[in-house]
Amino acid sequence: MTAGGAARDGTELVVGVDIGNSTTEACLAEIGPSGPRYLGGALAPTSGVKGTAENVPGVVKVVHEALSAAGRSADELTTVLVNEATPVISGLAMETITETIITESTMIGHNPDTPGGAGLGVGTTVAFADLADCRPGEPVVCVVGGGVDFEDAAAGIDAAVARGVEVAGAVVRADDANLIVNRLSTPIPVVDEVTLVEKVPLGMPAAVEVAEPGRTVRTLSNSYGIATLFELTPEQTRMVAPVARALVGNRSAVVVRTPRGDIADRRIPAGTLTLIGEHSTLAVGIDAGADEIMATLRRVAPLSDATGEAGTHVGGMLAAVRDAMTETLADGPVGRPGDQDVRIQDVLAVDTFVPQHVTGALAGEFALENAVALAAMVRTSRGPMEALAEQIRATLGTDVVVGGVEADMAVLGALTTPGTERPVAILDLGGGSTDAALAMPGGDVTSVHLAGAGDLVTKLIDSELGLENRDLAEDIKRHPLAKSESFFHVRLEDGTARFFDEPLPTDAFARVVVLGEEGMRPIPTRHSLERIRQVRRSAKHKVFVVNAVRALERVAPGGNLREIGFVVVLGGSALDFEIPDLIAEAVAGSGIVCGTGNVRGSQGPRNAVATGLVADHAGGAR
Ligand code: ADP
Ligand code: MG
């Protein structure tokens, strides 16, 4: 048998390979006179940027895996079919558009599960050493520095109280609150583990609040609560609002009024995005928020390019995407393209928030600052595809056919889903882009590629929860949550309990965990299960519901979703346990039947493009 030709009996062994941004998928089939007989498939992470020679190792891997899974050898293979993999580079940037700076008050927002006492105390801050000098009747908040023993602290406070000094609360350096409170004749609220206790301003009005176990502060997390305590004017109340916001969710808190300077809830100039449409050009400030940016995008559509204001974050981000693409293309046979060739084809803006340390706070408190995340996508028709094909040919020693527009191939693959027929629309939910195509009965296919998909969802989860752990964020995206309630059982997020024979890992106890493939994984944050769930679902909504509607509107005749009857959802993100339902719900109002694909009746939403390549080849061969 010779490579590159059909076997003697007239059958051909071919493999379709779809090189995606994230995943390279293969579909192996034997094509005989009666059409393709599918033998199996394989998938592996894409090596390098899609559509470049870096992809060869990933391609070789999936081809070999598909062959060996089917018990076939490499020299039986006649043809490798590769999709026309247009490089798509998507960039992600996040810009904070508010910043909380506190100068007029000082706050200590405290979580530790160890505050002492309960209630609210208001008084003037006084150092522990000076407590003996306080006059009777004077309400004070005692500040206990390091080096003061808890017994001495309790004795000192009790002595002052006995003299008639009203000690309303205390702030202490060490982890001693309970030890102190337990020794007092009259318990007071005590906040402990304040590392920067020496920075607490003295001689200033202050309030200490400690909530009962299982509760959070009520007064200091409420702007009007603070206003009431310190008799603030409406203007001062407006300025103290960020303090209240930053204290929400804490078990204990301290606010000290320092009557100078001001508190600013500052909006940061985040730069301007200029959207260049085919007919008009409009600029929009990033700080206007996602809705305004997306509305501007609709006004200039179709987009031919976008630029960001130089010297700002958005400028830097769009430049980085463009540079990455220029580099990619420079490696190919076509050489370095001019700037003209590399255009931003789509952007997706999403409102988000990021926990940021509050400037002026004493215990590393953070506030949720508003931010805008931007995904941008560059595509070019001048990909170094031939170089890639040549290297695959050399490495595998087989014929390589590059062909088929990705959208057309995805449609062919999707149509192997039982119960589908043209006209049909597909939604391919990948890592970097959301693609849609509409196939009419005659065979015409309209398609669109939009920025923003699974990777953006992961990034939003990561940053909104302040995890700084992409891998954990990916797990949170993919799996339901649970809370371990005893050493042998967890409560799942839907309320059902699940029991284990072995004790749970100690680091999971009493924590919110994600039930990943490798077992239980604790989420090392203070967020409640409900909160994490809400962040997860809203991230999916903000990216995929918005993009699904945008994409379908672009391919629908006249932009009217009602013209689309059936949608088949494909791609890695279609494996998600929530995303397909969120989309189906969003488009149900337009009379669209929307479901997850089941390629070849067995592959679920995966393998559509690879399968389509084989189906296309078989159709052409017959
Ligand atoms: P591409 O076609 O761009 O190569 P894929 O179709 O492989 O991309 O999709 C990649 C995306 O799918 C990633 O964002 C990944 O997080 C997501 N993904 C893969 N498996 C799952 C899953 N089981 N649940 C949710 N998302 C998933
Ligand atoms: Mg794909």
Side-chain angles (χ1 to χ4, degrees):
M1 190 197 307
T2 53
R8 273 182 220 101
D9 60 0
T11 63
E12 256 192 295
L13 187 65
V14 305
V15 60
V17 180
D18 165 28
I19 305 164
N21 283 298
S22 317
T23 316
T24 298
E25 297 177 325
C27 169
L28 183 72
E30 204 167 53
I31 300 179
S34 56
R37 189 165 70 88
Y38 295 104
L39 303 175
L43 81 172
T46 295
S47 49
V49 175
K50 168 181 176 173
T52 66
E54 295 167 13
N55 302 155
V56 175
V59 172
V60 171
K61 185 167 191 279
V62 292
V63 169
H64 281 151
E65 278 181 19
L67 283 167
S68 73
R72 306 296 286 257
S73 81
D75 43 61
E76 290 175 75
L77 191 63
T78 40
T79 312
V80 178
L81 310 162
V82 189
N83 61 324
E84 182 72 67
T86 315
V88 175
I89 294 186
S90 41
L92 278 180
M94 213 172 264
E95 179 71 37
T96 317
I97 56 177
T98 57
E99 181 188 21
T100 304
I101 304 170
I102 299 173
T103 54
E104 192 176 333
S105 296
T106 295
M107 65 163 189
I108 302 165
H110 235 59
N111 177 55
D113 302 315
T114 57
L120 179 69
V122 184
T124 307
T125 48
V126 58
F128 177 73
D130 300 332
L131 202 53
D133 302 331
C134 292
R135 283 191 303 271
E138 203 179 331
V140 297
V141 166
C142 179
V143 181
V144 185
V148 180
D149 177 73
F150 60 87
E151 293 197 318
D152 296 342
I157 292 171
D158 255 355
V161 171
R163 284 193 303 107
V165 179
E166 195 193 312
V167 183
V171 182
V172 307
R173 167 74 184 79
D175 180 15
D176 279 349
N178 276 303
L179 296 173
I180 294 173
V181 172
N182 289 341
R183 284 167 175 74
L184 294 177
S185 36
T186 321
I188 57 171
V190 179
V191 173
D192 67 358
E193 289 183 70
V194 177
T195 33
L196 295 176
V197 77
E198 68 281 0
K199 292 223 176 130
V200 176
L202 298 173
M204 301 291 170
V208 179
E209 184 175 7
V210 174
E212 298 283 351
R215 296 188 173 260
T216 58
V217 293
R218 276 282 160 267
T219 307
L220 297 183
S221 57
N222 169 4
S223 302
Y224 304 121
I226 300 179
T228 312
L229 293 177
F230 297 121
E231 297 173 0
L232 303 183
T233 63
E235 178 61 9
Q236 289 168 323
T237 306
R238 201 179 58 77
M239 309 233 271
V240 91
V243 173
R245 252 195 349 252
L247 293 175
V248 169
N250 287 297
R251 167 110 197 264
S252 61
V254 181
V255 173
V256 186
R257 280 285 291 165
T258 49
R260 71 191 113 79
D262 59 358
I263 302 172
D265 190 7
R266 194 159 74 94
R267 279 187 99 69
I268 303 172
T272 309
L273 179 68
T274 303
L275 299 170
I276 304 160
E278 278 171 22
H279 310 295
S280 64
T281 293
L282 290 174
V284 57
I286 292 293
D287 58 0
D291 286 349
E292 189 57 38
I293 296 170
M294 296 315 283
T296 310
L297 181 65
R298 275 196 296 279
R299 282 199 285 278
V300 305
L303 189 72
S304 50
D305 203 1
T307 56
E309 187 181 341
T312 66
H313 202 111
V314 55
M317 176 221 147
L318 292 189
V321 174
R322 215 182 284 273
D323 284 355
M325 180 55 94
T326 311
E327 283 305 308
T328 303
L329 295 180
D331 296 340
V334 290
R336 187 170 289 273
D339 274 355
Q340 254 53 18
D341 298 331
V342 176
R343 295 169 182 279
I344 305 277
Q345 189 198 273
D346 185 49
V347 294
L348 172 69
V350 173
D351 285 325
T352 176
F353 46 83
V354 217
Q356 298 264 295
H357 284 295
V358 176
T359 316
L362 284 189
E365 287 80 11
F366 59 81
L368 289 176
E369 305 289 2
N370 295 311
V372 173
L374 208 58
M377 189 172 72
V378 163
R379 254 169 81 88
T380 167
S381 51
R382 300 176 60 193
M385 204 56 211
E386 265 316 310
L388 169 59
E390 189 47 52
Q391 288 203 30
I392 298 173
R393 202 170 283 137
T395 315
L396 290 172
T398 55
D399 197 13
V400 176
V401 176
V402 178
V405 177
E406 201 170 309
D408 297 5
M409 298 304 114
V411 167
L412 284 179
L415 285 168
T416 64
T417 296
T420 57
E421 65 172 14
R422 294 170 199 262
V424 69
I426 57 145
L427 269 176
D428 184 352
L429 315 177
S433 71
T434 300
D435 306 333
L438 178 68
M440 296 313 281
D444 280 356
V445 176
T446 331
S447 63
V448 63
H449 302 262
L450 300 180
D455 296 346
L456 179 57
V457 174
T458 305
K459 165 131 184 172
L460 289 173
I461 292 172
D462 191 18
S463 63
E464 291 188 1
L465 294 176
L467 302 173
E468 288 174 26
N469 182 343
R470 242 200 96 86
D471 188 53
L472 178 59
E474 181 76 23
D475 256 359
I476 293 175
K477 175 175 88 172
R478 292 191 189 194
H479 307 286
L481 300 164
K483 172 122 193 205
S484 65
E485 292 188 331
S486 79
F487 284 112
F488 291 96
H489 87 283
V490 298
R491 179 78 51 191
L492 303 180
E493 65 174 68
D494 68 358
T496 54
R498 183 161 145 196
F499 293 87
F500 297 86
D501 293 333
E502 297 293 316
L504 304 181
T506 46
D507 62 348
F509 187 62
R511 284 219 183 246
V512 180
V513 297
V514 56
L515 302 170
E517 267 125 40
E518 282 114 55
M520 192 172 292
R521 191 166 175 186
I523 302 171
T525 64
R526 298 205 263 120
H527 304 292
S528 67
L529 182 148
E530 226 358 271
R531 170 98 189 115
I532 299 171
R533 178 172 185 271
Q534 184 226 325
V535 163
R536 180 190 78 210
R537 288 180 63 89
S538 87
K540 290 173 181 177
H541 199 277
K542 287 190 275 198
V543 174
F544 279 115
V545 170
V546 169
N547 261 357
V549 171
R550 231 163 43 102
L552 292 175
E553 276 173 0
R554 291 269 292 272
V555 297
N560 183 1
L561 291 190
R562 297 205 160 270
E563 299 286 317
I564 299 175
F566 293 90
V567 173
V568 178
V569 185
L570 305 169
S573 297
L575 291 167
D576 190 272
F577 70 108
E578 298 171 303
I579 292 169
D581 292 351
L582 288 172
I583 295 176
E585 205 175 300
V587 299
S590 306
I592 293 176
V593 176
C594 180
T596 305
N598 191 13
V599 175
R600 291 190 258 125
S602 64
Q603 303 298 300
R606 283 246 182 237
N607 217 271
V609 173
T611 300
L613 285 164
V614 172
D616 184 53
H617 185 76
R622 270 184 294 153

